[in-house]
Amino acid sequence: MNETAADSPHILADSEGEEASGDYHAFWADEVADRVEERDPDEPIVIKGGVSPSGVAHLGNFNEIIRGYFVAAVLRERGHDVRQVFTSDDRDPLRKVPRKLADPDGNIVGLGEVDAGALGRNLGKPYTEIPDPFGEKESYAAHFADLLKADADRLGIPVEMVSNTELYEDGTFDPVIEQALADLDNSRDVLGQYQDKVDESYVPFNPICEECGQVTETVTDVDVANGTVDYECTDLEAGDNVIEGCGHAGTATFHEGKLPWRFEWPGQWQVLGVDFEPFGKDHAEGSWPSGVDIARNVLGIEPPVPMVYEWFTLNGEALSSSAGNIVTVPEILELLEPEVLRYFFALHPKKARDLDLERLDQLVDDFDRFERAYFGDVDDEELTRFAERAYPFVVDKPKAGRVRLPYTFAAVLGMVEDEDFREQLARDEGHFDEDTPEWAIEDALKRVERARNWAERMDNEYNYRLQTELPDVDLDADVAAALDELADFVAEDHDGEEIQGEMYEVARRHDLEVSDFFAAGYRLFFDETQGPRLGEFLGELEQEFVVKRLRREA
């Protein structure tokens, strides 16, 4: 294959480099949309993503849905009719039992909570032929696809789920299979440039054994005119393991099997009329070049506009279902507003990023600054250009007057159960004033529960509960005197850092162990002997409340 610049999946500049082609755009999705329009495609323009339903439907699987969404949104803004589809490669065989699954609500569970035996007994069979481990959907594949569709709905993305199995069973894939099998020498020659073990016996079709239901790779004869192949059910390699075939010899129609992945992917481009597809960098150096070659030299079609994206890491490590380093969309939406998650994916896809759950406050702060830039409140020309273009695609609707509580301050408010007290604390800190509309206050306070969930999940310095009633605390006289002195200092309107420093000084002046003095403060406010940086925390609270509590007044 002679790859041209137009074939390269690396069509985007990185965030520090120059644009790859055409006019400079502040938002990468505009550049992709330009490339799609250059081809003058028929409408509806088709944008595709896809995944094999092999394990937990996690945030990494969502990459192609949301990357495609931004391009679809830009094209729709330009007046095009767009169809965004997401293929479930559900005729793939189950090659190993996953260690974990996601239940119908998207919660990650261990195999002990499902019928794991139903999975183990069905190794080698297509996902659509395997029972749903949770007993709700018609198959394992349907369960997985339903989870991804629910994730798209949560983020307001109109995506059409497409089952590969249905495309085979209704004959949609028949023309692709016929083209691949009609000239086997050509198919072998093309594929042989990218894959070992392509010899004169290789046939790019994997029948499903009518006896045991497993996918097999051994085809003994091809009859293109009648749309059938003869096969023998032989062993299927699954990594280091082997799934034993039953040895049955039979005949399968083109509806009763599947194409190997390297043929199936370009086959999807043909039957769905795909114009654009994003994919991870693992495909950029492998499946994409072979897909382009097969598309042109076997199927006689042009490949879609490509875009390779960098994977993001989770907590500094690669996403891995087997290692348990994953997070689902429902889980992350318990911690972040949907628009913050959309913002994360709106950032340039060529730059590797880490989603560090411990430091979600930094991501939220970045989003808040991005939002302020859209409304002209940030002195950063590059960020403002990006925000002015991308922000309308990130939020449901731009709304002036919106208030965003800093995420860590929202976590502080999460220590308080009383909602009225939360609002009062936010007013005391200047986040709300007399002119703040009620809708903006309600919206802003919604972040508090998400920040509270974050504090509990991370078990960080904000994972405490402020006692609204004065705890029953027995204090020595010298400790009580020190607390009274600290109360006087707080009443002088000092900030949190100053209060934190003064606590050390007060303890020394009263000849107290610093740890004992802090412990007394924690008892007063949390009825615990430890907690967050107390002085800084007290600086976030209503001054009158803090002064009364330090003086042990109800």
Side-chain angles (χ1 to χ4, degrees):
M1 178 191 70
N2 294 319
E3 186 179 59
T4 68
D7 302 326
S8 172
H10 304 275
I11 64 170
L12 297 174
D14 64 30
S15 57
E16 287 78 27
E18 296 297 325
E19 64 274 18
S21 64
D23 296 331
Y24 171 74
H25 287 295
F27 186 29
W28 57 266
D30 277 304
E31 182 184 336
V32 177
D34 287 350
R35 297 290 297 270
V36 173
E37 286 184 324
E38 285 173 6
R39 297 191 175 195
D40 192 23
D42 294 332
E43 300 208 11
I45 295 173
V46 178
I47 292 174
K48 190 186 91 66
V51 69
S52 180
S54 57
V56 174
H58 56 74
L59 192 59
N61 299 134
F62 203 68
N63 253 311
E64 293 177 36
I65 290 180
I66 197 162
R67 306 287 190 193
Y69 160 73
F70 286 119
V71 178
V74 167
L75 288 168
R76 290 186 180 112
E77 181 193 55
R78 296 183 183 186
H80 296 287
D81 183 16
V82 181
R83 178 188 179 202
Q84 185 177 357
V85 301
F86 195 79
T87 54
S88 176
D89 301 336
D90 51 21
R91 218 166 219 196
D92 291 358
L94 174 65
R95 294 179 181 270
K96 65 178 180 179
V97 177
R99 295 184 181 182
K100 294 185 177 182
L101 296 170
D103 70 15
D105 296 321
N107 303 308
I108 298 175
V109 300
L111 293 184
E113 300 182 45
V114 300
D115 183 5
L119 295 173
R121 291 190 297 271
N122 286 283
L123 288 173
K125 295 181 182 179
Y127 290 107
T128 42
E129 298 301 318
I130 299 172
D132 175 9
F134 298 92
E136 294 192 6
K137 299 296 178 180
E138 59 269 27
S139 69
Y140 180 105
H143 168 78
F144 188 94
D146 191 64
L147 290 175
L148 282 174
K149 181 63 169 63
D151 289 345
D153 291 342
R154 289 182 179 98
L155 289 170
I157 297 176
V159 63
E160 176 187 344
M161 303 300 292
V162 175
S163 164
N164 264 0
T165 294
E166 292 179 6
L167 296 180
Y168 284 110
E169 290 181 344
D170 66 15
T172 301
F173 263 126
D174 280 3
V176 179
I177 299 169
E178 291 169 3
Q179 287 170 283
L181 301 189
D183 189 347
L184 283 172
D185 288 339
N186 181 52
S187 294
R188 291 164 182 160
D189 288 344
V190 173
L191 182 61
Q193 300 175 61
Y194 308 93
Q195 182 172 304
D196 296 333
K197 300 180 180 179
V198 178
D199 56 23
E200 59 184 13
S201 66
Y202 177 83
V203 176
F205 188 75
N206 304 145
I208 298 171
C209 178
E210 61 185 344
E211 187 71 21
C212 69
Q214 291 184 185
V215 175
T216 183
E217 298 175 346
T218 303
V219 174
T220 57
D221 191 45
V222 174
D223 187 343
V224 175
N226 290 314
T228 63
V229 299
D230 294 338
Y231 67 89
E232 182 181 345
C233 185
T234 55
D235 296 348
L236 181 68
E237 293 185 5
D240 296 332
N241 299 317
V242 174
I243 302 170
E244 294 184 1
C246 70
H248 175 73
T251 300
T253 69
F254 291 169
H255 300 180
E256 299 168 333
K258 70 178 300 292
L259 292 158
W261 163 245
R262 288 182 185 268
F263 280 85
E264 188 173 75
W265 194 19
Q268 292 171 342
W269 302 338
Q270 176 173 322
V271 301
L272 296 174
V274 180
D275 297 296
F276 165 67
E277 181 161 6
F279 46 87
K281 62 181 182 180
D282 54 330
H283 290 314
E285 304 302 329
S287 304
W288 170 255
S290 66
V292 170
D293 209 347
I294 290 170
R296 287 180 175 152
N297 297 311
V298 176
L299 304 182
I301 64 168
E302 279 298 303
V305 171
M307 184 192 80
V308 65
Y309 54 80
E310 282 284 341
W311 295 322
F312 67 88
T313 53
L314 179 66
N315 305 324
E317 302 290 338
L319 285 162
S320 171
S321 297
S322 60
N325 192 47
I326 51 176
V327 64
T328 65
V329 170
E331 285 180 326
I332 201 69
L333 290 181
E334 290 180 353
L335 314 179
L336 298 173
E337 293 100 334
E339 54 265 37
V340 180
L341 185 57
R342 292 194 204 105
Y343 162 75
F344 177 78
F345 285 105
L347 297 171
H348 205 290
K350 283 293 298 294
K351 185 174 181 180
R353 302 181 192 280
D354 182 49
L355 182 63
D356 186 346
L357 299 185
E358 291 279 359
R359 298 316 313 268
L360 279 185
D361 55 308
Q362 294 180 346
L363 173 62
V364 178
D365 288 347
D366 288 345
F367 166 78
D368 290 350
R369 187 166 183 264
F370 164 78
E371 184 173 61
R372 292 196 304 273
Y374 174 79
F375 290 103
D377 296 330
V378 175
D379 186 17
D380 184 326
E381 183 177 349
E382 184 177 353
L383 176 62
T384 299
R385 288 192 67 212
F386 172 54
E388 287 176 346
R389 183 62 187 132
Y391 181 76
F393 300 112
V394 167
V395 297
D396 291 333
K397 183 179 180 182
K399 204 169 186 179
R402 192 185 298 276
V403 176
R404 299 288 186 183
L405 299 176
Y407 195 66
T408 51
F409 179 68
V412 169
L413 297 188
M415 299 182 188
V416 180
E417 293 189 3
D418 186 277
E419 293 185 2
D420 291 336
F421 192 25
R422 289 176 178 177
E423 181 177 337
Q424 184 58 50
L425 292 174
R427 287 187 181 277
D428 291 341
E429 286 298 304
H431 295 293
F432 307 142
D433 58 31
E434 294 180 357
D435 297 326
T436 306
E438 190 61 33
W439 68 263
I441 294 173
E442 291 179 2
D443 278 1
L445 290 173
K446 290 177 182 178
R447 178 172 282 182
V448 175
E449 284 306 314
R450 287 186 166 95
R452 177 65 196 168
N453 293 338
W454 171 66
E456 291 178 345
R457 175 163 177 160
M458 298 297 105
D459 192 21
N460 59 25
E461 60 185 304
Y462 303 100
N463 190 22
Y464 296 92
R465 284 291 189 185
L466 178 68
Q467 299 298 304
T468 54
E469 301 295 330
L470 177 65
D472 184 12
V473 179
D474 185 17
L475 300 172
D476 293 338
D478 53 351
V479 174
L483 290 170
D484 288 337
E485 183 176 331
L486 181 63
D488 294 339
F489 183 82
V490 173
E492 295 172 358
D493 202 25
H494 293 281
D495 64 23
E497 288 188 13
E498 292 169 333
I499 297 171
Q500 180 76 10
E502 181 66 10
M503 291 190 70
Y504 288 92
E505 298 302 321
V506 170
R508 293 189 183 99
R509 286 197 293 271
H510 288 262
D511 199 24
L512 297 173
E513 290 289 339
V514 172
S515 59
D516 291 341
F517 185 48
F518 272 86
Y522 288 130
R523 288 291 307 278
L524 283 177
F525 288 91
F526 303 108
D527 203 15
E528 302 274 355
T529 57
Q530 61 183 5
R533 287 176 60 84
L534 187 57
E536 294 180 8
F537 172 73
L538 298 183
E540 300 279 4
L541 299 180
E542 181 188 20
Q543 184 182 100
E544 183 181 357
F545 171 81
V546 173
V547 171
K548 285 185 176 182
R549 181 59 58 88
L550 290 172
R551 290 172 176 164
R552 285 84 64 208
E553 298 175 3

